[in-house]
Amino acid sequence: MATVAASETTALFAALRSGADALCRLAEEGRLSEEGARALADEVASAFGLDGDVVRAELCSRTLGDARMPALPPRLAVETVVRLLAALAPVRGASLWASGGDCLSAAGRTSAEARSLATAALAGRAGHGDVMTAPVRSWGRTAAVLVLEAPPSAHPLCRDLAAEAAGSVALALEREALLDRNRQRERSLVEASERRLARLAFDIHDGPIQIVAALGLELRLLGDDGSDAPGRDRALRGLHERLAALEAELRELTQTLEPTSIARRPLDASLAGQAEAFGRQHGITVAVETAGDLEGLTPSQRIALVRVVHEALTNARDHGGATDVRVAVRGDRRGVTARVTDNGGGFDVATALAAAARKGRLGLVGMSERVRLLGGRLEVESRPGGPTTIEAYLERWSPPAAAAASTAASAGRPVPVTA
Ligand SMILES: Nc1ncnc2c1ncn2[C@@H]1O[C@H](COP(=O)(O)OP(=O)(O)OP(=O)(O)O)[C@@H](O)[C@H]1O
Ligand SMILES: [Mg+2]
């Protein structure tokens, strides 16, 4: 830019700014073409009588640095970066290669040897004179490599552009990986809730619906019954008992299925209620032992632990044929551990997980996902013959405001009160 007279500098910068703005808009609309970008840069260069290569490189750099670039959908961002390089850097062609050797994007006249050059660069070997490579570093590792095909004389101009471009590509790849992970999590959570709903339907079918059917039958018999008053009294008492059983059954269902009730109760009370109901319903001994400090857990943590224990109990009954299950929960200053051990037949964990993934089973996966979403970990220990132990660990967590309040309070300073 040194060849521009001072009076023209402002006009030149304005032209470059509006050029970068136009290129970003075209990129957002998916209409950015190499010819268009080059024509725009050449127009600016000839209007100011400047060297084309320098103006193109400047326009490329400004467009790569525009605040709208990181907001493009990741794939479009990657394509735009490669296209901008091919159009505006002094190169014949530009391409981007993933660490596995796949071409993520290519533009301009890329040579047949681009792939082997990229592979060599990924393996840490240098390219030859007509090629420049730039690693794309993401989360501490080389995730991809940019290959710019240009004569050695153009390398100094290319180097800064390649570094800027590699930064933009790294951001786009990281965003894509995060979006991908979110999509997977969402999918497994949706599937897990669908299975839970299906399970709710089975629970309602096998429990309350059976009781209601029996009640209907008894009422009909009572209507047809020509027996005396004491006989009818006895029958009515029976009906009352069944109604009470129905109410209890429905309460149990809501207790295990409605998260708000778990969220409101202390963890030990929820676990004890669940164990008692489960044991009574299925004729299994379920012992709950709690120790240490279980106060101060968040509602999400309590819900996750109750759900994990419930799934472990269900699996112990359905798959292990267990008759005795121990639930041990211990809390300390750092976190809380819930361990469920059953005396059932056990299983080979790796094989069962692979089979469960094939069949779309979500019990163990759902448990682990719940705990992982809260930053904890889940371990499954079992072998054919048993026993089986499921252990969930969640770290204590306090909201930043509470943490700041306790730090400030212990330092004797005033605590800001926020709504
Ligand atoms: N406590 C256990 N005892 C014996 N086998 C178990 C136990 N827990 C899990 N398994 C085995 O692991 C497999 C996967 O369990 P998971 O809970 O993921 O799925 P599922 O119970 O089969 O189906 P879902 O929970 O989705 O209804 C089970 O099918 C079973 O073979
Ligand atoms: Mg299961």
Side-chain angles (χ1 to χ4, degrees), residues 56-87:
R56 285 179 191 174
E58 182 63 23
L59 186 59
C60 186
S61 164
R62 282 174 180 254
T63 315
L64 286 173
D66 192 283
R68 278 166 294 175
M69 285 292 288
L72 290 178
R75 267 160 218 262
L76 184 58
V78 164
E79 265 174 32
T80 303
V81 169
V82 172
R83 206 166 281 169
L84 281 171
L85 287 173

Side-chain angles (χ1 to χ4, degrees), residues 40-322:
L40 209 155
D42 290 350
E43 224 174 87
V44 178
S46 78
F48 289 87
L50 292 171
D51 177 69
D53 273 357
V54 175
V55 172
R56 285 179 191 174
E58 182 63 23
L59 186 59
C60 186
S61 164
R62 282 174 180 254
T63 315
L64 286 173
D66 192 283
R68 278 166 294 175
M69 285 292 288
L72 290 178
R75 267 160 218 262
L76 184 58
V78 164
E79 265 174 32
T80 303
V81 169
V82 172
R83 206 166 281 169
L84 281 171
L85 287 173
L88 300 175
V91 302
R92 284 186 305 279
S95 50
L96 177 71
W97 299 82
S99 55
D102 289 337
C103 181
L104 298 175
S105 186
R109 279 176 292 122
T110 51
S111 67
E113 52 174 353
R115 177 191 297 273
S116 56
L117 289 165
T119 314
L122 285 162
R125 292 194 298 276
H128 61 60
D130 271 357
V131 173
M132 226 190 98
T133 54
V136 175
R137 304 274 304 162
S138 158
W139 288 319
R141 62 179 192 97
T142 302
V145 67
L146 270 169
V147 175
L148 300 184
E149 300 183 44
S153 58
H155 285 194
L157 205 50
C158 285
R159 198 160 290 124
D160 287 349
L161 289 178
E164 268 182 76
S168 295
V169 169
L171 269 182
L173 294 181
E174 284 169 11
R175 248 178 332 123
E176 178 155 40
L178 286 173
L179 288 174
D180 234 27
R181 206 184 298 165
N182 269 357
R183 275 192 290 270
Q184 275 167 18
R185 277 184 187 174
E186 239 167 61
R187 240 192 333 267
S188 40
L189 280 179
V190 167
E191 282 168 7
S193 350
E194 277 171 5
R195 290 195 70 81
R196 267 206 305 282
L197 280 177
R199 238 171 258 162
L200 171 60
F202 289 139
D203 284 351
I204 292 175
H205 172 269
D206 296 345
I209 288 181
Q210 302 309 314
I211 301 178
V212 168
L215 274 171
L217 185 67
E218 281 182 32
L219 266 175
R220 212 173 46 247
L221 290 176
L222 193 63
D224 297 344
D225 195 1
S227 63
D228 53 3
R232 290 176 80 85
D233 278 354
R234 247 197 327 279
L236 275 173
R237 265 202 305 282
L239 281 176
H240 267 129
E241 274 164 24
R242 282 180 182 279
L243 267 176
L246 176 60
E247 188 188 347
E249 184 102 6
L250 287 171
R251 279 185 194 284
E252 273 167 29
L253 268 180
T254 45
Q255 191 190 309
T256 46
L257 287 159
E258 192 216 340
T260 48
S261 75
I262 304 170
R264 278 194 222 109
R265 298 173 82 191
L267 180 64
D268 47 0
S270 289
L271 289 175
Q274 172 172 270
E276 196 272 327
F278 197 92
R280 185 160 35 79
Q281 224 169 330
H282 305 291
I284 296 176
T285 307
V286 183
V288 179
E289 204 180 279
T290 54
D293 179 11
L294 298 179
E295 295 293 311
L297 296 172
T298 67
S300 309
Q301 289 178 321
R302 288 200 297 271
I303 289 170
L305 290 171
V306 171
R307 293 270 188 251
V308 164
V309 170
H310 190 260
E311 178 61 26
L313 291 173
T314 308
N315 278 349
R317 174 199 68 191
D318 289 353
H319 308 301

Side-chain angles (χ1 to χ4, degrees), residues 195 199 311-312 315-316 319-320 342 345-347 352-353 356 360-365 382 388 390:
R195 290 195 70 81
R199 238 171 258 162
E311 178 61 26
N315 278 349
H319 308 301
D342 72 63
F347 64 111
L353 280 177
R361 301 293 181 183
L362 284 163
L364 292 174
V365 173
S382 186
T388 298
I390 307 281

